[in-house]
Amino acid sequence: MNKATRKAIIAGNWKMNKTRPEAKALLEELKGMVADIKTVEIVACVPFTNLETALAATEGTNIKIGAENCHFEKSGAFTGEISADMLAEMGVEYVVLGHSERRQYFAETDETVNKRTKAALAAGLKPIVCVGELLWERECNITEEVIARQIKLDFFGISADDLKKCVIAYEPVWAIGTGKTATADQAEEVCAFIRAQLAKLYGAEVAEAITIQYGGSMNAANAAELVSKTNVDGGLIGGASLKAADFTTIIKAAENG
Ligand code: PGA
């Protein structure tokens, strides 16, 4: 299997942006621009408050909707949290898990990412699991150790069949929201390393089938080079997903990549 047979996925991660009217306007604009895209899976991961609006605005289109997090318990006394079942019932398809901002600001650990991934899979959601090294870790030359550890822990106890429902986003933390993109070669190097780790854990066939995205200051200008790389199967896009034209340029780059 090679890149051509894997699903390219371009997912927007809106983070804490957009009110409901703003969300509707952005998706209405995007809808028209990407209507003819067939070979790339387009996903908009939006704040919880926008999910219903986003699902309604994209009904019957080629845009899928995702959430930006979910809790690992099914229900109960977890004030302020949202369960995977709640998302699945709405018709949400994807969920971003283990984003570095969750790890950095909200005490997310590999253990809780693992629990959330299992909960999301049990609810029938497709997790987009984020991994990536800090700048300090890259400078200390331990990027591979960090990534190998995250992959082992985040997917611990997850079967090959379930892994195939997951997307992995390689997001070097130093590149997120900084305008400092990894070079295409750096992105390829780590995405290939992730695939090699998956091959060790699950076998080559499974590893070859998994979509691995790059994320971190991906934009309309640099997307084509990034997604042209053998092991980069799309992107998780923050800032540039908030502008329909830029997001569309990235999606079109993935269609040709
Ligand atoms: P960015 O964010 O594109 O704004 O760097 C990427 C992400 O956090 O997923």
Side-chain angles (χ1 to χ4, degrees), residues 16-17 28 59 74 129 157 159 211 256:
M16 195 171 73
N17 290 295
E28 291 297 344
E59 202 179 338
K74 282 188 92 59
V129 179
S159 70
T211 295
N256 301 324

Side-chain angles (χ1 to χ4, degrees), residues 175-206:
I176 296 176
T178 58
K180 203 174 168 214
T181 322
T183 64
D185 286 341
Q186 285 172 325
E188 167 63 14
E189 194 180 17
V190 182
C191 289
F193 177 77
I194 291 171
R195 204 175 302 287
Q197 294 307 297
L198 294 175
K200 270 195 207 163
L201 297 168
Y202 293 94
E205 200 185 318
V206 175

